[in-house]
Amino acid sequence: MMLPVGATIGILGGGQLGRMLSSAAAKFGLKTIIFAPGDDLPAAQVANRHINANYTDTEALEAFANACNVVTLEWENVPVSAVETIEAAGVAVRPGAKALSVAQDRVAEKTFLEACGIACAPWRAVDTLDDLQSAFTAIGPDCILKTRRDGYDGKGQVRLNAESDLASAWTELQEAPAILEGFVPFDLEVSVIIARANGGEIAPYPIPENQHSGGILRRSRVPAAIPEETAEQAISMAKSLADQLDYVGVLALELFVCGDGRVLANEFAPRVHNSGHWTPEACLAGQFENHIRAVAGWPLGPIDLLYPAEMDNLIGDDAATPLETLLEQGSLTLYGKTDIRPGRKMGHVVRLLIGTP
């Protein structure tokens, strides 16, 4: 069923993704309510309403649900219990608890990806120092130890090699449940941004090539320099994942493209994604618009690439660049954050590479 114009979409999370989703909803005459703890959040600055409450506040969640026609999320670390409370109140959450619970635990995520026929780098679950030593022997010496939950943008992980002190690495992660992943000698990092409608229709965006620094996305460029058959394989993997999750909305599947032709999954995000921030400028319907369309039960918009493009994140002190200079760099989007911190995403710039093959 299609939501009517004037309906209200609830968004769990108050960051920049919620901000851009709210703006996309407003384009269609849809209202948004942000549910997230905190004051002056990026999303709350542009939404119709903000409920400032913790994700464990059952009463506030029920009030939020009663004020919304449908709910979505912009952050994968929202407690699954919050989604379950909203669903118990009779309001659909798109995507739902299944996608969220799988994405929140790296072991569950790898297990699910492989069950979908999606190959991953070698990995082992790590719950003790003995587990780490056994896993390191099996898939080391070049590997990455990551916490199973809550890590993002390079946080909660330690790179290991033959010289590493495993006990120190285990202590650095505070002995939290973890996963050890074998390092993949890849040629490129890419991501598939895919929109899936409520009725199962799927629209994959052209694939961007991604460059990271310190675990944080620095630049995405589209189209990626990969063979057509590699792109088709990557899109097929993302479609399989979305179908198995019965997913509604936009998701991103991050992949390694290896020199031997293998395409291996790194992780997926059950939300709109940083590596798709170029889509509003380079496609008729960007990822934020198509996420709103899907959540509202509307048909998806066209995702054809109009022009090659690249997107640069503004991270930390990048945002201290004079405004005149930033405006000259391309299509500028700032997230409404006033506190500049190292590693914090403050905005992005998109350039259309008109005339570029």
Side-chain angles (χ1 to χ4, degrees):
M1 178 180 176
M2 294 176 58
L3 292 185
V5 173
T8 298
I9 296 176
I11 300 175
L12 290 165
Q16 63 265 18
L17 301 179
R19 180 186 183 95
M20 290 180 275
L21 286 171
S22 293
S23 295
K27 171 184 174 180
F28 293 125
L30 297 167
K31 300 175 183 178
T32 53
I33 300 176
I34 302 301
F35 188 104
D39 298 314
D40 196 31
L41 302 177
Q45 294 169 7
V46 301
N48 297 86
R49 182 182 169 194
H50 173 210
I51 296 178
N52 183 349
N54 291 322
Y55 297 116
T56 55
D57 188 333
T58 301
E59 185 176 345
L61 285 167
E62 291 174 345
F64 171 64
N66 291 333
C68 299
N69 297 97
V70 68
V71 170
T72 188
L73 51 92
E74 64 101 55
W75 188 51
E76 64 266 48
N77 288 322
V78 172
V80 174
S81 60
V83 172
E84 292 172 341
T85 296
I86 294 167
E87 291 176 335
V91 177
V93 181
R94 299 170 178 162
K98 181 178 181 179
L100 195 61
S101 62
V102 171
Q104 285 181 356
D105 184 310
R106 286 191 168 97
V107 169
E109 178 184 42
K110 299 289 187 186
T111 302
F112 191 87
L113 287 169
E114 291 179 342
C116 293
I118 300 171
C120 303
W123 62 273
R124 297 286 190 282
V126 174
D127 293 309
T128 66
L129 179 57
D130 286 343
D131 288 344
L132 175 56
Q133 292 168 336
S134 297
F136 185 80
T137 299
I139 64 177
D142 293 319
C143 48
I144 304 174
L145 180 65
K146 302 178 180 179
T147 55
R148 285 179 62 163
R149 305 179 70 88
D150 298 332
Y152 64 96
D153 285 347
K155 300 177 178 65
Q157 57 184 259
V158 180
R159 178 74 181 270
L160 302 177
N161 56 41
E163 307 302 319
S164 297
D165 183 331
L166 299 186
S168 295
W170 183 236
T171 299
E172 185 173 340
L173 292 192
Q174 300 180 350
E175 302 184 3
I179 183 173
L180 189 71
E181 300 177 4
F183 180 74
V184 177
F186 58 86
D187 287 351
L188 295 175
E189 291 182 88
V190 303
S191 53
V192 181
I193 312 296
I194 192 168
R196 188 175 188 273
N198 195 31
E201 174 195 357
I202 289 180
Y205 283 93
I207 296 176
E209 176 181 338
N210 303 318
Q211 300 172 12
H212 293 80
S213 177
I216 303 175
L217 181 67
R218 172 58 65 175
R219 170 176 289 179
S220 290
R221 184 182 176 107
V222 63
I226 55 176
E228 183 176 349
E229 57 268 26
T230 301
E232 291 175 353
Q233 180 183 354
I235 290 171
S236 177
M237 294 164 75
K239 285 182 175 179
S240 175
L241 174 62
D243 284 340
Q244 291 299 314
L245 289 170
D246 195 20
Y247 195 90
V248 177
V250 168
L251 68 75
L253 177 62
E254 298 179 32
L255 301 162
F256 300 118
V257 179
C258 304
D260 59 7
R262 291 180 301 159
V263 180
L264 301 177
N266 178 23
E267 61 186 19
F268 80 92
R271 53 170 171 77
V272 288
H273 196 256
N274 195 174
S275 67
H277 284 357
W278 50 270
T279 57
E281 286 85 357
C283 304
L284 283 176
Q287 64 166 344
F288 305 102
E289 174 177 328
N290 264 334
H291 187 83
I292 292 297
R293 283 172 174 256
V295 168
W298 295 9
L300 299 177
I303 46 78
D304 305 271
L305 186 67
L306 301 176
Y307 299 103
E310 65 182 17
M311 182 280 302
D312 284 341
N313 271 331
L314 300 176
I315 301 170
D317 286 339
D318 293 343
T321 303
L323 181 59
E324 294 84 354
T325 302
L326 291 176
L327 289 167
E328 291 171 355
Q329 292 179 1
S331 176
L332 174 66
T333 298
L334 297 175
Y335 302 153
K337 301 176 181 179
T338 56
D339 183 15
I340 297 177
R341 299 193 300 268
R344 193 181 197 198
K345 295 173 182 175
M346 304 297 294
H348 65 265
V349 175
V350 175
R351 288 177 292 278
L352 299 181
L353 306 177
I354 298 173
T356 302

mmCIF file of all heavy atoms in Angstrom, residues 104-133:
data_model
loop_
_atom_site.group_PDB
_atom_site.id
_atom_site.type_symbol
_atom_site.label_atom_id
_atom_site.label_comp_id
_atom_site.label_asym_id
_atom_site.label_seq_id
_atom_site.Cartn_x
_atom_site.Cartn_y
_atom_site.Cartn_z
ATOM 1 N N GLN A 104 24.419 -6.182 12.783
ATOM 2 C CA GLN A 104 25.033 -5.705 14.028
ATOM 3 C C GLN A 104 26.108 -6.631 14.575
ATOM 4 O O GLN A 104 26.901 -6.218 15.420
ATOM 5 C CB GLN A 104 23.952 -5.493 15.092
ATOM 6 C CG GLN A 104 23.130 -4.253 14.881
ATOM 7 C CD GLN A 104 22.088 -4.049 15.971
ATOM 8 O OE1 GLN A 104 21.928 -4.885 16.858
ATOM 9 N NE2 GLN A 104 21.388 -2.938 15.908
ATOM 10 N N ASP A 105 26.164 -7.855 14.127
ATOM 11 C CA ASP A 105 27.114 -8.836 14.658
ATOM 12 C C ASP A 105 27.914 -9.386 13.481
ATOM 13 O O ASP A 105 27.362 -10.026 12.594
ATOM 14 C CB ASP A 105 26.360 -9.954 15.375
ATOM 15 C CG ASP A 105 27.276 -10.959 16.046
ATOM 16 O OD1 ASP A 105 28.206 -11.451 15.380
ATOM 17 O OD2 ASP A 105 27.055 -11.265 17.230
ATOM 18 N N ARG A 106 29.222 -9.150 13.495
ATOM 19 C CA ARG A 106 30.033 -9.520 12.334
ATOM 20 C C ARG A 106 30.048 -11.030 12.095
ATOM 21 O O ARG A 106 30.165 -11.466 10.946
ATOM 22 C CB ARG A 106 31.457 -8.989 12.496
ATOM 23 C CG ARG A 106 31.569 -7.480 12.285
ATOM 24 C CD ARG A 106 33.024 -7.042 12.199
ATOM 25 N NE ARG A 106 33.116 -5.669 11.726
ATOM 26 C CZ ARG A 106 33.241 -4.608 12.511
ATOM 27 N NH1 ARG A 106 33.258 -4.771 13.824
ATOM 28 N NH2 ARG A 106 33.338 -3.399 11.994
ATOM 29 N N VAL A 107 29.953 -11.828 13.139
ATOM 30 C CA VAL A 107 29.909 -13.271 12.942
ATOM 31 C C VAL A 107 28.580 -13.669 12.303
ATOM 32 O O VAL A 107 28.539 -14.456 11.348
ATOM 33 C CB VAL A 107 30.137 -14.015 14.267
ATOM 34 C CG1 VAL A 107 29.828 -15.505 14.125
ATOM 35 C CG2 VAL A 107 31.585 -13.830 14.732
ATOM 36 N N ALA A 108 27.482 -13.115 12.801
ATOM 37 C CA ALA A 108 26.178 -13.383 12.191
ATOM 38 C C ALA A 108 26.152 -12.896 10.745
ATOM 39 O O ALA A 108 25.580 -13.560 9.862
ATOM 40 C CB ALA A 108 25.078 -12.711 13.007
ATOM 41 N N GLU A 109 26.777 -11.763 10.505
ATOM 42 C CA GLU A 109 26.812 -11.188 9.164
ATOM 43 C C GLU A 109 27.564 -12.097 8.188
ATOM 44 O O GLU A 109 27.064 -12.408 7.099
ATOM 45 C CB GLU A 109 27.475 -9.813 9.229
ATOM 46 C CG GLU A 109 27.617 -9.111 7.894
ATOM 47 C CD GLU A 109 28.364 -7.797 8.038
ATOM 48 O OE1 GLU A 109 29.371 -7.756 8.778
ATOM 49 O OE2 GLU A 109 27.955 -6.820 7.400
ATOM 50 N N LYS A 110 28.776 -12.536 8.574
ATOM 51 C CA LYS A 110 29.563 -13.409 7.696
ATOM 52 C C LYS A 110 28.816 -14.724 7.454
ATOM 53 O O LYS A 110 28.791 -15.245 6.323
ATOM 54 C CB LYS A 110 30.922 -13.700 8.319
ATOM 55 C CG LYS A 110 31.790 -12.488 8.569
ATOM 56 C CD LYS A 110 32.321 -11.867 7.302
ATOM 57 C CE LYS A 110 33.326 -10.771 7.637
ATOM 58 N NZ LYS A 110 33.775 -10.040 6.438
ATOM 59 N N THR A 111 28.225 -15.259 8.509
ATOM 60 C CA THR A 111 27.486 -16.515 8.378
ATOM 61 C C THR A 111 26.329 -16.360 7.409
ATOM 62 O O THR A 111 26.083 -17.226 6.550
ATOM 63 C CB THR A 111 26.977 -16.975 9.759
ATOM 64 O OG1 THR A 111 28.084 -17.127 10.655
ATOM 65 C CG2 THR A 111 26.222 -18.284 9.657
ATOM 66 N N PHE A 112 25.604 -15.252 7.523
ATOM 67 C CA PHE A 112 24.449 -15.016 6.655
ATOM 68 C C PHE A 112 24.893 -14.800 5.217
ATOM 69 O O PHE A 112 24.282 -15.338 4.272
ATOM 70 C CB PHE A 112 23.648 -13.810 7.149
ATOM 71 C CG PHE A 112 22.309 -13.657 6.491
ATOM 72 C CD1 PHE A 112 21.202 -14.315 6.994
ATOM 73 C CD2 PHE A 112 22.151 -12.875 5.361
ATOM 74 C CE1 PHE A 112 19.957 -14.201 6.379
ATOM 75 C CE2 PHE A 112 20.921 -12.747 4.737
ATOM 76 C CZ PHE A 112 19.816 -13.419 5.255
ATOM 77 N N LEU A 113 25.954 -14.012 5.013
ATOM 78 C CA LEU A 113 26.440 -13.768 3.653
ATOM 79 C C LEU A 113 26.817 -15.084 2.976
ATOM 80 O O LEU A 113 26.448 -15.334 1.818
ATOM 81 C CB LEU A 113 27.644 -12.828 3.693
ATOM 82 C CG LEU A 113 27.353 -11.361 4.005
ATOM 83 C CD1 LEU A 113 28.645 -10.604 4.288
ATOM 84 C CD2 LEU A 113 26.600 -10.695 2.861
ATOM 85 N N GLU A 114 27.536 -15.928 3.691
ATOM 86 C CA GLU A 114 27.952 -17.199 3.098
ATOM 87 C C GLU A 114 26.762 -18.110 2.830
ATOM 88 O O GLU A 114 26.747 -18.850 1.838
ATOM 89 C CB GLU A 114 28.989 -17.872 3.996
ATOM 90 C CG GLU A 114 30.317 -17.109 4.015
ATOM 91 C CD GLU A 114 31.370 -17.725 4.912
ATOM 92 O OE1 GLU A 114 31.003 -18.546 5.788
ATOM 93 O OE2 GLU A 114 32.550 -17.386 4.736
ATOM 94 N N ALA A 115 25.726 -18.034 3.685
ATOM 95 C CA ALA A 115 24.511 -18.817 3.451
ATOM 96 C C ALA A 115 23.783 -18.347 2.197
ATOM 97 O O ALA A 115 23.039 -19.120 1.577
ATOM 98 C CB ALA A 115 23.588 -18.736 4.661
ATOM 99 N N CYS A 116 24.000 -17.086 1.822
ATOM 100 C CA CYS A 116 23.409 -16.529 0.594
ATOM 101 C C CYS A 116 24.265 -16.842 -0.635
ATOM 102 O O CYS A 116 23.950 -16.384 -1.738
ATOM 103 C CB CYS A 116 23.252 -15.018 0.716
ATOM 104 S SG CYS A 116 22.063 -14.457 1.934
ATOM 105 N N GLY A 117 25.356 -17.590 -0.441
ATOM 106 C CA GLY A 117 26.247 -17.897 -1.546
ATOM 107 C C GLY A 117 27.231 -16.793 -1.859
ATOM 108 O O GLY A 117 27.806 -16.755 -2.952
ATOM 109 N N ILE A 118 27.442 -15.872 -0.905
ATOM 110 C CA ILE A 118 28.327 -14.731 -1.094
ATOM 111 C C ILE A 118 29.642 -15.011 -0.378
ATOM 112 O O ILE A 118 29.684 -15.154 0.846
ATOM 113 C CB ILE A 118 27.678 -13.445 -0.551
ATOM 114 C CG1 ILE A 118 26.362 -13.166 -1.296
ATOM 115 C CG2 ILE A 118 28.627 -12.264 -0.667
ATOM 116 C CD1 ILE A 118 25.543 -12.043 -0.696
ATOM 117 N N ALA A 119 30.714 -15.108 -1.149
ATOM 118 C CA ALA A 119 32.015 -15.453 -0.585
ATOM 119 C C ALA A 119 32.586 -14.304 0.230
ATOM 120 O O ALA A 119 32.428 -13.128 -0.112
ATOM 121 C CB ALA A 119 32.983 -15.834 -1.696
ATOM 122 N N CYS A 120 33.263 -14.639 1.323
ATOM 123 C CA CYS A 120 33.935 -13.672 2.189
ATOM 124 C C CYS A 120 35.402 -14.067 2.333
ATOM 125 O O CYS A 120 35.803 -15.187 2.001
ATOM 126 C CB CYS A 120 33.295 -13.637 3.581
ATOM 127 S SG CYS A 120 31.524 -13.267 3.607
ATOM 128 N N ALA A 121 36.204 -13.150 2.862
ATOM 129 C CA ALA A 121 37.575 -13.490 3.231
ATOM 130 C C ALA A 121 37.535 -14.514 4.360
ATOM 131 O O ALA A 121 36.544 -14.615 5.088
ATOM 132 C CB ALA A 121 38.319 -12.235 3.671
ATOM 133 N N PRO A 122 38.624 -15.298 4.553
ATOM 134 C CA PRO A 122 38.658 -16.257 5.673
ATOM 135 C C PRO A 122 38.421 -15.542 7.002
ATOM 136 O O PRO A 122 38.900 -14.426 7.209
ATOM 137 C CB PRO A 122 40.070 -16.834 5.603
ATOM 138 C CG PRO A 122 40.521 -16.605 4.204
ATOM 139 C CD PRO A 122 39.868 -15.330 3.769
ATOM 140 N N TRP A 123 37.665 -16.181 7.898
ATOM 141 C CA TRP A 123 37.378 -15.563 9.189
ATOM 142 C C TRP A 123 37.169 -16.636 10.251
ATOM 143 O O TRP A 123 36.869 -17.786 9.944
ATOM 144 C CB TRP A 123 36.142 -14.661 9.097
ATOM 145 C CG TRP A 123 34.867 -15.395 8.732
ATOM 146 C CD1 TRP A 123 34.404 -15.674 7.483
ATOM 147 C CD2 TRP A 123 33.901 -15.941 9.645
ATOM 148 N NE1 TRP A 123 33.219 -16.367 7.538
ATOM 149 C CE2 TRP A 123 32.881 -16.546 8.858
ATOM 150 C CE3 TRP A 123 33.796 -15.982 11.037
ATOM 151 C CZ2 TRP A 123 31.782 -17.166 9.422
ATOM 152 C CZ3 TRP A 123 32.688 -16.621 11.607
ATOM 153 C CH2 TRP A 123 31.697 -17.196 10.796
ATOM 154 N N ARG A 124 37.315 -16.208 11.497
ATOM 155 C CA ARG A 124 37.054 -17.069 12.641
ATOM 156 C C ARG A 124 36.458 -16.224 13.766
ATOM 157 O O ARG A 124 36.870 -15.083 13.975
ATOM 158 C CB ARG A 124 38.330 -17.727 13.174
ATOM 159 C CG ARG A 124 39.041 -18.664 12.213
ATOM 160 C CD ARG A 124 38.308 -19.984 12.060
ATOM 161 N NE ARG A 124 39.125 -20.956 11.320
ATOM 162 C CZ ARG A 124 39.288 -20.972 9.999
ATOM 163 N NH1 ARG A 124 38.703 -20.027 9.267
ATOM 164 N NH2 ARG A 124 40.027 -21.893 9.412
ATOM 165 N N ALA A 125 35.515 -16.786 14.487
ATOM 166 C CA ALA A 125 34.984 -16.128 15.679
ATOM 167 C C ALA A 125 36.025 -16.215 16.794
ATOM 168 O O ALA A 125 36.709 -17.239 16.937
ATOM 169 C CB ALA A 125 33.678 -16.773 16.125
ATOM 170 N N VAL A 126 36.145 -15.155 17.585
ATOM 171 C CA VAL A 126 37.135 -15.090 18.655
ATOM 172 C C VAL A 126 36.439 -14.642 19.946
ATOM 173 O O VAL A 126 35.922 -13.521 20.021
ATOM 174 C CB VAL A 126 38.275 -14.108 18.311
ATOM 175 C CG1 VAL A 126 39.225 -13.931 19.489
ATOM 176 C CG2 VAL A 126 39.038 -14.596 17.083
ATOM 177 N N ASP A 127 36.438 -15.523 20.946
ATOM 178 C CA ASP A 127 35.842 -15.195 22.238
ATOM 179 C C ASP A 127 36.859 -15.206 23.379
ATOM 180 O O ASP A 127 36.574 -14.716 24.464
ATOM 181 C CB ASP A 127 34.703 -16.164 22.564
ATOM 182 C CG ASP A 127 33.526 -15.994 21.623
ATOM 183 O OD1 ASP A 127 33.060 -14.855 21.452
ATOM 184 O OD2 ASP A 127 33.077 -17.006 21.046
ATOM 185 N N THR A 128 38.026 -15.778 23.118
ATOM 186 C CA THR A 128 39.069 -15.855 24.145
ATOM 187 C C THR A 128 40.425 -15.648 23.476
ATOM 188 O O THR A 128 40.546 -15.714 22.241
ATOM 189 C CB THR A 128 39.076 -17.224 24.848
ATOM 190 O OG1 THR A 128 39.457 -18.228 23.898
ATOM 191 C CG2 THR A 128 37.705 -17.555 25.422
ATOM 192 N N LEU A 129 41.445 -15.432 24.299
ATOM 193 C CA LEU A 129 42.798 -15.317 23.767
ATOM 194 C C LEU A 129 43.226 -16.615 23.093
ATOM 195 O O LEU A 129 43.900 -16.595 22.051
ATOM 196 C CB LEU A 129 43.779 -14.935 24.876
ATOM 197 C CG LEU A 129 45.248 -14.797 24.466
ATOM 198 C CD1 LEU A 129 45.419 -13.772 23.352
ATOM 199 C CD2 LEU A 129 46.103 -14.408 25.686
ATOM 200 N N ASP A 130 42.812 -17.745 23.633
ATOM 201 C CA ASP A 130 43.118 -19.033 22.990
ATOM 202 C C ASP A 130 42.484 -19.110 21.602
ATOM 203 O O ASP A 130 43.103 -19.611 20.650
ATOM 204 C CB ASP A 130 42.628 -20.193 23.858
ATOM 205 C CG ASP A 130 43.499 -20.423 25.097
ATOM 206 O OD1 ASP A 130 44.641 -19.908 25.115
ATOM 207 O OD2 ASP A 130 43.038 -21.110 26.028
ATOM 208 N N ASP A 131 41.232 -18.614 21.498
ATOM 209 C CA ASP A 131 40.571 -18.574 20.185
ATOM 210 C C ASP A 131 41.387 -17.734 19.210
ATOM 211 O O ASP A 131 41.543 -18.090 18.035
ATOM 212 C CB ASP A 131 39.177 -17.966 20.297
ATOM 213 C CG ASP A 131 38.173 -18.878 20.979
ATOM 214 O OD1 ASP A 131 38.451 -20.085 21.095
ATOM 215 O OD2 ASP A 131 37.114 -18.365 21.394
ATOM 216 N N LEU A 132 41.873 -16.594 19.691
ATOM 217 C CA LEU A 132 42.642 -15.699 18.829
ATOM 218 C C LEU A 132 43.917 -16.388 18.347
ATOM 219 O O LEU A 132 44.277 -16.301 17.168
ATOM 220 C CB LEU A 132 42.968 -14.411 19.577
ATOM 221 C CG LEU A 132 43.885 -13.414 18.846
ATOM 222 C CD1 LEU A 132 43.320 -13.035 17.487
ATOM 223 C CD2 LEU A 132 44.099 -12.170 19.700
ATOM 224 N N GLN A 133 44.589 -17.061 19.244
ATOM 225 C CA GLN A 133 45.827 -17.743 18.866
ATOM 226 C C GLN A 133 45.565 -18.834 17.837
ATOM 227 O O GLN A 133 46.306 -18.983 16.858
ATOM 228 C CB GLN A 133 46.497 -18.302 20.120
ATOM 229 C CG GLN A 133 47.036 -17.213 21.043
ATOM 230 C CD GLN A 133 47.448 -17.725 22.408
ATOM 231 O OE1 GLN A 133 46.967 -18.766 22.874
ATOM 232 N NE2 GLN A 133 48.337 -16.996 23.082
#
